[in-house]
Each structure stands twice: as C-alpha cells, then as structure tokens.
Amino acid sequence: MHGPASPGWLLVALCAATGAYCLLRMRSSVEEQRRAAGGEALMGFGMAAMAVPAAVFTPPSWAWPLCAAVFGGAALRALWAARTSTLHLHHLVGAGAMVYMAVVMAASPGHHGGAGVPGVTGVLLLYFAGYVLRSGVRLIPVTAGGGSVGWGDRPELARACRLSMGIAMVAMLLTL
C-alpha cells in the first residue's frame, strides 16, 4: 500500500488482528463457520502484508504475482463454494479485489495514487462501502443466545471481523 506510514501501520495492525481472530474462529464446531473463517484469515493476513508502508519495506518483484496467484486460487475456491452459500460471493469479490490490487502494485511499483483502473476501483469502492454500511447496521441488533458460546462461535465478533476487513479494503482501495 502506498501512502503515509501511520495509517499504513494502523491497517497492518487491524488486518493482522482480524486474521488472528479468524484463525481462532477456525476452531468452531460448525464446519461452514470454519471454512469461512479460513478464507477470512487468509484475507486478513494478506491485507496486512499489502498494507505495510512501501517506505518501510519494498517487496521483491515476485511478491505481487505470488499474491495475485494465491488470491486467484482463493477466488476460485470461493466461486466453487458459492454454489452452497451466498456468503462466499463476498469472499469472491474480496479475493478478486486482492488480485486487482496485487496486479496494480506489480505494474507500478512505487506509485503514489492513480495507478489503478478508475472504473474497476470505483466499482470495488462502491461495493465495499455498501458492505461496510450494511455490516455496521447488522452489528446493532445482535443478541446473545443461551448457553456457553466459544470464541469461534460468536456471531457478533465474526460480523465485527468482516466489518473491519471491509473498512480496511475501502482504505486500501482509496490509495490506488
């Protein structure tokens, strides 16, 4: 990610913490939650790596194509999983956005804004801004169910995790 170092480090911390929590969610007893959490953990850690300020660390030239390949694979997996759950459509868009950002960063190392395709960036920004607003509203009415709930099965934390990654995606897309 290109831009000032302080917001970049805040994005790194937010995305890494989100990825770490998603790893915790992978211990859920519900298989679908484990699968979704794995994809979200990959997304969180990938976003954290992309958000490291360019002034601090410039990845080698092979890093961006590798990132695009990893998230291209994640997009294919999300496309396959979307047959059974619409949640995976969001994962598909997120993985596609990561591929797009990796390609833009590979094509113009050291740029400071304006390197992405404005139409694609705009559509992704609109999607993720809408997702953030929708996710924020969905956080409000969450009520706890009865019984003991493990860390991997807390719906309000999973929603907060997705909301924070959506916010980070908007911030990252704004820097393209």
Side-chain angles (χ1 to χ4, degrees):
M1 189 180 101
H2 305 284
S6 295
W9 285 119
L10 290 172
L11 277 176
V12 169
L14 174 70
C15 294
T18 299
Y21 174 69
C22 290
L23 285 179
L24 253 158
R25 286 182 39 228
M26 288 180 68
R27 296 175 28 183
S28 171
S29 60
V30 180
E31 184 177 351
E32 182 60 29
Q33 288 181 19
R34 284 193 309 268
R35 278 195 200 127
E40 290 166 0
L42 174 67
M43 188 70 93
F45 289 127
M47 289 172 67
M50 280 184 146
V52 173
V56 174
F57 175 72
T58 302
S61 61
W62 54 265
W64 298 123
L66 177 65
C67 186
V70 167
F71 283 100
L76 290 175
R77 185 177 184 285
L79 181 61
W80 181 257
R83 296 172 303 119
T84 58
S85 172
T86 59
L87 171 65
H88 295 287
L89 290 174
H90 172 69
H91 291 160
L92 176 63
V93 174
M98 293 293 284
V99 169
Y100 170 68
M101 288 190 294
V103 168
V104 167
M105 293 172 117
S108 59
H111 80 281
H112 292 285
V117 178
V120 175
T121 304
V123 167
L124 289 171
L125 275 169
L126 284 173
Y127 173 80
F128 283 104
Y131 182 81
V132 164
L133 292 172
R134 183 176 154 260
S135 295
V137 168
R138 290 185 65 203
L139 266 179
I140 296 168
V142 173
T143 59
S148 175
V149 177
W151 280 101
D153 295 320
R154 307 271 314 250
E156 70 278 10
L157 292 178
R159 288 181 184 142
C161 171
R162 292 181 191 118
L163 174 64
S164 64
M165 282 196 293
I167 293 168
M169 187 65 79
V170 168
M172 291 173 74
L173 285 166
L174 284 172
T175 65
L176 285 183

